[in-house]
Amino acid sequence: MKSIFLTVVATGAWLMVNAQQKLPVYLDINKPIEERVENALSAMTTEEKVSLCYAQSKFSSKGVPRLGIPEVWTDDGPHGIREEVLWDEWGGAGWTNDSCTAFPALTCLSASFNPKLSLLYGKSIGEEARYRNKTVLLGPGINIYRTPLNGRNFEYLGEDPYLSSRMVVPYIQGVQSIGVAACVKHFALNNQEEWRGHINVDLSDRALYEIYLPAFKAAVQEGKAWSIMGAYNQFRGEHCCHNDLLLNKILKKDWKFDGVVISDWGGVHSTDQAVNNGLDLEMGTYTDGLTTKGKFPYSEYYLANPFLKGIKEGKYDIALLNDKARRILRLIFRTTMSANRPFGRFVSPEHSEAARKIAQEGIVLLKNDKQFFPVTNGKFKKIAVIGENADRSLVIGGGSSSLKVAYEKSPLDGLIAKYGKDHVVYSLGYASGPSMYGREEPSKLNADSLMNAAIEVAKDADVVFFIGGLNKNHFQDCEGGDRKSLSLPFGQDKLIDALLKANKNTAVVLLSGNAVSMPWVDKVPAIIQGWYLGSEAGSALADVISGEVNPSGKLPFSFPKKLEDNGAHFYGKISYPGDSINQYYKEDILVGYRWFDTKKIVPQYAFGYGLSYTSFNLGTLSADKSTYSKDEIIKVRFTVKNTGARYGAEVAQLYVNDPVCSVPRPVKELKAFEKVFLQPGEMKVVEMDVKVADFAFYDESKKDWNVEPGDFILQLGNSSNNISQKLKITVK
Ligand code: BGC
């Protein structure tokens, strides 16, 4: 008996030692990732390498089952973790465990001008993705806000490359700190949805490098994003998912990106180009079957059998395959097979709190005559809430970012919770149709009856909150189509006028991801821009409206008075939306406030603008020296004082102007900002480090960045159109 026991123990020990000795390097989580990648690669067949490069289902791709290397599971992004869909179809899989927390849309995050909240956002959504066992989160989206008609602006970070860069980096770091890869999208120039699948965008190199690439560069070099998604559109004659200039030259060579280029779903069009022009993982190409049953199974994807065949025939260099496989293995070792992969959590109170905080800080107060807001509890007996967005789900719709949520507090829920149900009366006022992807469906309700009912409610109330805006329907804030005009849809302008006649104490709250025209702007006493705020929408809005939270958001994009005032629309069709084949960005580097300022066009509301319930004063701007060399850092200093009676936050914004230059330059460009939180009467000293190198323009003649010596004017303000201090410095 004794000897048998000893033998068993001995065999077990031998097995353990042997197992340890034989543990292949790629499975050893303590070994450096590059060593593991090389080791795994050397153990793989050509077929196995190719099978890493294309989808096996709507949202996943194969691992290497024989070697224990797991599959890659992706999911949208960017505002919450999308529900599970069927293996081979877009429809929901009907799981009961996948209702997520909806975080505010990225426009709201950007409006907070608070990179710390970006980190919180990234960590929180990363934890939700991790809990759901996702490898890659398909977000954040960082395409520049070029036109207010773009149906997907709500998924992006606004019009300014510097603001987008500062906000995207912590988001990525947050997501990836949980062992989930961020997938930054859509690289690049996917600035409209109209004809997104084929429109061939061209623009100057300056506009490309100064406006449309910086946030992607920051995402790669500072955020160290582990994956990036190619865009649907073409750029200079090649689709962006296999675009030699964008992917091979800029992304992989110049920026040294070592992650995975993932195609947008269905964005691949050619095996030759996909193989040669920098794509690594092909997703979403049309398929009608799982394996061999259909005519177009996954194994017939561009990077599947046709790629394998090309390798075997010597048409494609094996080095290209090894490079793709290496990148995908690296992503797997950084995520699913990493030692640094904390556990996630899903729909936790901390995530609700994060969603609420981000929403509170992103809400922008645009107008507040005679201190209309805050409407404190008890101030009015009867509050009329009017408008569909007060009570409509705004997490559903919009395309791929649509969410199945654990809960969504509507504005109406939030206001009732704040003021009590006896004090709040609701009337729909107007109606849109149901949320349909890819088509418009008008409401069956009668517009006049809705309006008349709302007018009666408004007449009888002490105060009216009109809560409208856009929604996530097709041709609104929705993927796959652009808006048809700048106007508010569904008869809202007419309704607002009628409400004002019925009750002049009517404020407008807009929930949208885009600017809208405001023909009633001078007539309404107060306006709030409320974005799409996610699960905690109602709580956050009610917090701001009631004054429990002092608004501190600033617009991340300009609101034009009319569409033609916007740079992208000034030059006609070829500039937007293109002639259906080609498009040229004629406004060049003058995007957003750069256009308004330089062309001296007054916007309705400017980039960086937003009011508070308190007031602030920005003190004298000074710098550590007056003359700098090109590689120096300017140490800028000033004070911010809360001169009002409430706790609040101001966003100090530092812009720069280069008055004399060999090329045209915008009147001002954002180079630094800081959100400063202050008690009433409190003053803080703010110090900012600004690199002289950041004053450079992209010099097309040198194909490089260039700071021309001379004077530069630093401009400090609390919005792009409210500069209170200027300081001249000289660059040698
Ligand atoms: C969108 C992507 C999204 C993908 C997967 C595409 O239509 O453009 O942003 O991640 O679908 O849903």
Side-chain angles (χ1 to χ4, degrees):
M1 185 66 194
K2 197 178 169 196
S3 78
I4 293 173
F5 176 73
L6 277 179
T7 316
V8 171
V9 171
T11 313
W14 180 85
L15 276 175
M16 270 170 64
V17 170
N18 201 38
Q20 267 167 17
Q21 279 170 352
K22 282 200 164 166
L23 187 70
V25 171
Y26 74 88
L27 286 179
D28 186 346
I29 52 175
N30 298 314
K31 284 269 175 359
I33 283 186
E34 294 311 309
E35 234 179 89
R36 296 173 68 193
V37 168
E38 290 314 313
N39 179 255
L41 199 67
S42 67
M44 285 163 65
T45 63
T46 304
E47 284 76 5
E48 283 169 336
K49 291 176 191 173
V50 171
S51 74
L52 287 179
C53 301
Y54 62 94
Q56 63 167 5
S57 75
K58 273 277 169 267
F59 280 97
S60 72
S61 62
K62 286 197 188 96
V64 190
R66 179 179 66 89
L67 300 177
I69 294 173
E71 299 167 350
V72 171
W73 278 86
T74 70
D75 207 0
D76 292 298
H79 308 136
I81 309 306
R82 182 176 179 163
E83 72 176 314
E84 302 299 324
V85 302
L86 293 167
W87 186 264
D88 204 24
E89 282 163 42
W90 288 108
W95 292 17
T96 52
N97 62 351
D98 57 351
S99 300
C100 69
T101 307
F103 297 93
L106 291 195
T107 36
C108 173
L109 173 66
S110 201
S112 76
F113 273 69
N114 186 347
K116 287 192 188 118
L117 288 187
S118 248
L119 184 66
L120 175 68
Y121 195 127
K123 275 192 178 154
S124 310
I125 197 171
E127 285 177 345
E128 298 237 335
R130 170 68 182 94
Y131 187 83
R132 293 263 303 279
N133 275 320
K134 302 303 175 192
T135 325
V136 179
L137 170 74
L138 302 175
I142 54 173
N143 295 88
I144 288 290
Y145 189 112
R146 175 174 180 255
T147 155
L149 299 191
N150 179 13
R152 282 189 100 168
N153 278 335
F154 70 101
E155 289 187 64
Y156 304 142
L157 292 165
E159 72 185 25
D160 183 69
Y162 180 78
L163 175 64
S164 301
S165 303
R166 297 305 22 106
M167 297 304 284
V168 74
V169 169
Y171 182 116
I172 296 166
Q173 290 167 337
V175 171
Q176 296 190 165
S177 72
I178 313 297
V180 174
C183 182
V184 183
K185 63 194 193 184
H186 309 86
F187 189 63
L189 302 160
N190 184 180
N191 305 104
Q192 68 191 47
E193 289 297 287
E194 179 79 347
W195 298 322
R196 71 173 178 180
H198 67 268
I199 194 75
N200 179 30
V201 177
D202 205 353
L203 72 176
S204 72
D205 274 349
R206 264 196 86 188
L208 178 69
Y209 281 94
E210 291 185 25
I211 306 293
Y212 297 98
L213 293 186
F216 285 104
K217 187 178 182 188
V220 168
Q221 297 196 329
E222 296 173 60
K224 307 247 179 281
W226 293 333
S227 65
I228 197 165
M229 188 187 291
Y232 280 131
N233 50 286
Q234 302 191 54
F235 165 55
R236 294 187 185 157
E238 272 177 350
H239 276 96
C240 294
C241 288
H242 31 65
N243 186 296
D244 186 47
L245 176 57
L246 282 178
L247 302 180
N248 283 338
K249 301 212 169 77
I250 296 176
L251 179 67
K252 292 184 171 175
K253 183 165 163 280
D254 296 349
W255 297 352
K256 305 196 167 33
F257 175 68
D258 67 359
V260 178
V261 176
I262 302 179
S263 76
D264 200 342
W265 269 232
V268 183
H269 303 272
S270 137
T271 296
D272 274 357
Q273 293 191 16
V275 172
N276 292 310
N277 292 355
L279 181 71
D280 301 309
L281 175 55
E282 177 188 2
M283 298 297 295
T285 307
Y286 173 71
T287 172
D288 67 354
L290 299 180
T291 46
T292 50
K293 273 190 222 148
K295 213 167 162 204
F296 303 104
Y298 288 97
S299 54
E300 287 311 316
Y301 268 33
Y302 294 99
L303 280 187
N305 284 341
F307 184 20
L308 183 63
K309 187 163 169 274
I311 298 230
K312 293 212 159 142
E313 287 169 355
K315 185 177 175 198
Y316 304 128
D317 191 343
I318 189 85
L320 289 167
L321 173 62
N322 285 337
D323 180 60
K324 295 181 202 302
R326 256 189 204 106
R327 289 169 181 274
I328 296 165
L329 289 168
R330 192 177 289 131
L331 180 131
I332 295 171
F333 294 143
R334 280 169 164 168
T335 54
T336 335
M337 292 182 87
S338 162
N340 304 316
R341 197 173 200 229
F343 299 112
R345 50 185 164 173
F346 198 51
V347 199
S348 71
E350 290 82 0
H351 293 174
S352 299
E353 196 41 45
R356 183 169 181 163
K357 200 164 169 27
I358 295 158
Q360 289 169 341
E361 274 199 39
I363 292 169
V364 184
L365 180 62
L366 293 177
K367 182 172 181 184
N368 202 22
D369 282 0
K370 299 196 190 127
Q371 298 183 340
F372 182 100
F373 289 124
V375 173
T376 45
N377 205 346
K379 187 165 168 185
F380 296 115
K381 271 217 174 86
K382 202 176 249 181
I383 300 173
V385 176
I386 291 167
E388 192 185 64
N389 278 355
D391 196 29
R392 178 189 173 95
S393 174
L394 291 169
V395 297
I396 295 174
S400 58
S401 63
S402 180
L403 295 173
K404 174 172 139 192
V405 290
Y407 73 98
E408 178 183 9
K409 290 187 194 155
S410 71
L412 187 59
D413 296 336
L415 292 168
I416 289 175
K418 198 65 81 185
Y419 298 110
K421 68 175 177 358
D422 296 342
H423 299 288
V424 177
V425 198
Y426 177 64
S427 181
L428 186 58
Y430 72 90
S432 65
S435 222
M436 293 280 181
Y437 184 51
R439 70 189 164 93
E440 257 181 320
E441 178 104 348
S443 167
K444 293 193 173 72
L445 300 174
N446 181 287
D448 288 338
S449 315
L450 291 177
M451 181 158 83
N452 292 336
I455 290 170
E456 290 313 309
V457 170
K459 271 187 191 155
D460 197 35
D462 302 310
V463 66
V464 180
F465 301 153
F466 171 76
I467 304 187
L470 306 177
N471 62 29
K472 304 275 188 75
N473 280 6
H474 193 50
F475 295 142
Q476 301 298 316
D477 283 325
C478 183
E479 184 177 341
D482 282 351
R483 297 167 65 201
K484 298 286 174 211
S485 86
L486 191 64
S487 303
L488 277 176
F490 321 124
Q492 292 177 79
D493 285 338
K494 192 173 155 200
L495 175 61
I496 293 170
D497 272 338
L499 292 175
L500 281 164
K501 281 194 190 114
N503 189 332
K504 59 179 180 3
N505 229 5
T506 296
V508 171
V509 177
L510 295 172
L511 305 184
S512 73
N514 256 319
V516 299
S517 56
M518 303 179 178
W520 30 260
V521 68
D522 295 328
K523 291 186 257 172
V524 292
I527 307 172
I528 284 176
Q529 175 58 38
W531 317 116
Y532 298 118
L533 298 173
S535 287
E536 289 289 334
S539 343
L541 254 183
D543 291 339
V544 168
I545 289 177
S546 67
E548 271 166 54
V549 167
N550 191 351
S552 61
K554 301 278 183 174
L555 291 180
F557 51 82
S558 320
F559 275 51
K561 287 188 175 167
K562 50 185 195 302
L563 200 55
E564 309 78 68
D565 287 353
N566 173 287
H569 295 272
F570 183 81
Y571 294 100
K573 225 179 148 201
I574 190 64
S575 194
Y576 175 88
D579 66 4
S580 89
I581 312 283
N582 294 303
Q583 177 179 26
Y584 196 87
Y585 289 3
K586 285 196 152 185
E587 77 286 8
D588 202 48
I589 53 164
L590 298 181
V591 175
Y593 65 91
R594 288 165 167 80
W595 171 267
F596 287 96
D597 287 352
T598 309
K599 300 288 176 185
K600 298 196 169 58
I601 298 170
V602 181
Q604 188 69 69
Y605 289 110
F607 171 84
Y609 169 82
L611 302 171
S612 164
Y613 297 151
T614 186
S615 51
F616 301 96
N617 181 40
L618 297 177
T620 313
L621 175 65
S622 66
D624 55 335
K625 300 194 290 181
S626 57
T627 305
Y628 298 84
S629 62
K630 287 181 189 178
D631 51 9
E632 272 186 294
I633 288 175
I634 307 172
K635 293 201 167 295
V636 168
R637 227 177 121 97
F638 56 90
T639 55
V640 185
K641 186 173 182 190
N642 183 343
T643 51
R646 298 179 57 112
Y647 174 73
E650 178 63 299
V651 179
Q653 302 161 39
L654 191 79
Y655 297 84
V656 71
N657 169 240
D658 183 2
V660 183
C661 185
S662 61
V663 296
R665 303 209 65 177
V667 169
K668 63 176 90 73
E669 296 184 88
L670 186 68
K671 294 296 167 193
F673 63 86
E674 175 120 3
K675 190 164 197 173
V676 191
F677 293 82
L678 296 161
Q679 296 294 343
E682 193 187 1
M683 185 171 89
K684 279 185 187 160
V685 177
V686 177
E687 290 176 332
M688 291 172 165
D689 284 354
V690 188
K691 286 189 200 143
V692 174
D694 286 349
F695 297 177
F697 63 94
Y698 187 81
D699 191 332
E700 295 184 336
S701 63
K702 295 185 173 152
K703 295 207 174 309
D704 202 356
W705 295 91
N706 186 2
V707 184
E708 283 179 353
D711 293 344
F712 289 83
I713 316 293
L714 306 182
Q715 310 175 51
L716 179 68
N718 68 352
S719 94
S720 65
N721 69 346
N722 188 26
I723 300 299
S724 52
Q725 317 262 335
K726 289 189 180 178
L727 180 71
K728 189 178 83 180
I729 60 112
T730 306
V731 174
K732 281 191 298 198

